[in-house]
Amino acid sequence: MQHSSFEIQYKSFKDASELSEQDQFLINETRKIATAAYAPYSGFKVASLAQMENGTMVHGTNQENASYPIGLCAERVMLAAISTIAPQVEIKNICISYISDKQGSDVPIAPCGVCRQSLVEFESRFSGNIRLLLTGQSGEVFEFNSVSDLLPMAFKKNNLIS
Ligand code: THU
């Protein structure tokens, strides 16, 4: 028997002002986009914004439904848009932010498990890593070098028997 473990490394910044101007732009845009989410049931509006290798930006917001389980997370709305309009273009950076009707928004949130799996799939389509910034409307920013850092032992295409 052998004990094994995973270590997840990330950086935390007290405030967006500690990051580069390019990152601050990405963060500010993401924070604004959250206002446009369709989340009348949870009151929890999420925005995900990707910066592509060619400099373009593509975003997604969560889309809820009166039939609760069919609602979509912001991250997967964004990934579906990218995979539709620019399937060959690599994502360099993603920022995720939110606004809540019921609580403040000064601590970062991390993507749900399903979205982590989708983010890892997208990263595996290209050779490079997708850097991830997580933040609320203010306060701390967490930086992960790769979306895969958030999902150790992810299920990947090489796990499928061909
Ligand atoms: N949500 C996202 O959009 N992304 C996540 O990673 C976590 C949760 C949405 C789904 C739902 O519309 C609302 O947040 C509350 O769970």
Side-chain angles (χ1 to χ4, degrees), residues 38-39 42 44-47 61-64 71-75 96 109-112 115:
Y38 181 66
S42 71
F44 196 83
K45 296 180 167 187
V46 184
T61 55
N62 53 329
Q63 302 298 318
E64 297 186 348
L72 296 167
C73 290
E75 296 88 332
I96 298 167
I109 54 153
C112 76
C115 288

Side-chain angles (χ1 to χ4, degrees), residues 39-98:
Y41 304 104
S42 71
F44 196 83
K45 296 180 167 187
V46 184
S48 183
L49 175 60
Q51 197 165 43
M52 315 296 292
E53 64 178 344
N54 63 8
T56 57
M57 312 271 261
V58 183
H59 68 268
T61 55
N62 53 329
Q63 302 298 318
E64 297 186 348
N65 194 284
S67 173
Y68 291 1
I70 73 164
L72 296 167
C73 290
E75 296 88 332
R76 277 173 298 135
V77 169
M78 179 197 75
L79 291 175
I82 291 169
S83 195
T84 306
I85 61 176
Q88 313 296 348
V89 186
E90 203 169 328
I91 301 174
K92 296 314 273 179
N93 299 295
I94 292 175
C95 181
I96 298 167
S97 185
Y98 69 99

Side-chain angles (χ1 to χ4, degrees), residues 85-133:
I85 61 176
Q88 313 296 348
V89 186
E90 203 169 328
I91 301 174
K92 296 314 273 179
N93 299 295
I94 292 175
C95 181
I96 298 167
S97 185
Y98 69 99
I99 302 173
S100 169
D101 282 358
K102 300 175 185 102
Q103 65 194 60
S105 174
D106 55 1
V107 290
I109 54 153
C112 76
V114 174
C115 288
R116 292 179 200 204
Q117 181 71 31
S118 298
L119 289 162
V120 169
E121 175 78 23
F122 207 95
E123 190 175 61
S124 73
R125 288 163 59 162
F126 303 93
S127 54
N129 61 302
I130 301 177
R131 182 170 162 264
L132 187 63
L133 297 176

Side-chain angles (χ1 to χ4, degrees), residues 10 14 24 30 39 47-48 55 58-59 65 84 86 90 92 123 130 133-134 141 144 147-148 151 156-157:
Y10 66 100
K14 273 208 178 84
Q24 287 183 46
T30 314
S48 183
V58 183
H59 68 268
N65 194 284
T84 306
E90 203 169 328
K92 296 314 273 179
E123 190 175 61
I130 301 177
L133 297 176
L134 306 175
V141 180
F144 293 81
V147 292
S148 298
L151 190 61
K156 292 194 180 168
K157 58 184 166 210

